[in-house]
Amino acid sequence: MTKFKWTQEMRRKVYKRLCTDFGTYANWGQGPQGGDVLSPPNRKKEFEAALRELALESGGTEEKWTAIEQQVSWRLTRQKRIVHQNHFKTMAMNKTAAIEEGLLTFKDMPTFADLKFDATKAEEDEID
């Protein structure tokens, strides 16, 4: 099984590509119930193809696209309570990269988060 470290450079590359190919998140619209959408409506296959290409470009296999999709989903999370340090780090790093590359704006950030974790236990982000 191949592992690679998920870096901020990789996150920026993903969000830059998504913004270039699909526009800003604000222009993606909303889901059927008015909620957030993971991919642009009516472009799911194109979105998945872009994630597959990004997986290969990042040193993984094409099958790793779902791991990238999972990382991308953190740019949308509106969790109110985060109990794992890595979840907070993943959310913060993905939102930051998405803002830096123009996919999100600061208004897309949560206004409140309750953090409950032991900050003395550091963990590394890896994708299996």
Side-chain angles (χ1 to χ4, degrees):
M1 180 181 337
T2 305
K3 286 188 176 189
F4 61 94
K5 187 169 179 73
W6 189 254
T7 66
Q8 196 64 359
E9 179 180 335
M10 290 167 64
R11 288 180 181 97
R12 284 192 296 270
K13 181 178 182 177
V14 166
Y15 294 118
K16 182 176 186 172
R17 168 76 182 272
L18 295 180
C19 190
T20 299
D21 288 3
F22 303 103
T24 63
Y25 180 72
N27 294 324
W28 289 11
Q30 294 185 324
Q33 277 73 41
D36 294 327
V37 293
L38 179 60
S39 62
N42 304 316
R43 297 186 71 190
K44 186 174 175 80
K45 288 185 180 185
E46 291 174 71
F47 188 79
E48 288 177 6
L51 297 183
R52 288 177 194 277
E53 290 174 17
L54 286 161
L56 288 170
E57 292 170 13
S58 299
T61 63
E62 187 178 344
E63 292 77 28
K64 299 290 184 192
W65 77 270
T66 57
I68 293 178
E69 181 182 45
Q70 183 178 15
Q71 287 288 315
V72 168
S73 71
W74 279 101
R75 57 94 168 80
L76 291 178
T77 188
R78 297 190 188 281
Q79 291 181 338
K80 299 294 183 195
R81 176 173 290 220
I82 299 173
V83 295
H84 300 290
Q85 180 181 8
N86 258 6
H87 290 176
F88 173 72
K89 178 182 173 187
T90 301
M91 179 191 73
M93 299 297 278
N94 277 287
K95 285 187 178 291
T96 299
I99 288 170
E100 288 174 342
E101 297 304 328
L103 187 70
L104 296 179
T105 65
F106 283 105
K107 71 179 181 176
D108 298 310
M109 296 293 283
T111 57
F112 174 81
D114 181 14
L115 307 177
K116 301 271 186 193
F117 55 80
D118 183 354
T120 63
K121 295 180 181 176
E123 298 177 27
E124 294 293 323
D125 281 344
E126 290 186 345
I127 298 174
D128 291 323

